Amino acid sequence: MANKRTLKHAIKGICEELLVECVAASLYGAGNHKDNAEALLASILRTQVDFVARVSHPEPGMPPKAYFKDLREKFSAQVGELIDHINYL
């Protein structure tokens, strides 16, 4: 496991890239999906806040290595879902 600061920085960087892609897709996309784009932007921000908070406060009783492995897997799954939503804007 890398240190917590590096993990938080990586989460914030990925979420920043998702925000940029979402804005670009909403501006340059074929349809006018302003409401969908705003909801997706809010979802990306909630994801960032949630996972950064989870890095800061690990579950008690769970081994740190297993906890952070599970955290990375869940974050990857969430990012995959967000990318799919961006592709359908």
Side-chain angles (χ1 to χ4, degrees):
M1 176 188 87
N3 63 19
K4 291 180 181 181
R5 183 179 345 154
T6 305
L7 188 55
K8 287 180 185 180
H9 185 68
I11 289 171
K12 289 178 182 179
I14 291 169
C15 289
E16 181 180 315
E17 290 296 321
L18 288 173
L19 287 169
V20 168
E21 289 298 321
C22 183
V23 169
S26 68
L27 289 176
Y28 302 116
N32 188 7
H33 304 287
K34 184 179 180 183
D35 294 336
N36 292 341
E38 288 177 0
L40 189 55
L41 289 170
S43 177
I44 293 169
L45 291 175
R46 277 193 307 269
T47 299
Q48 178 182 341
V49 169
D50 178 45
F51 279 96
V52 168
R54 289 173 63 184
V55 169
S56 298
H57 305 288
E59 281 186 33
M62 190 172 187
K65 187 173 184 176
Y67 175 76
F68 287 107
K69 181 180 179 186
D70 182 56
L71 182 79
R72 286 190 305 268
E73 290 172 357
K74 288 181 180 177
F75 182 69
S76 294
Q78 183 71 26
V79 166
E81 289 178 19
L82 291 170
I83 289 171
D84 289 342
H85 288 295
I86 291 171
N87 287 334
Y88 291 118
L89 275 183

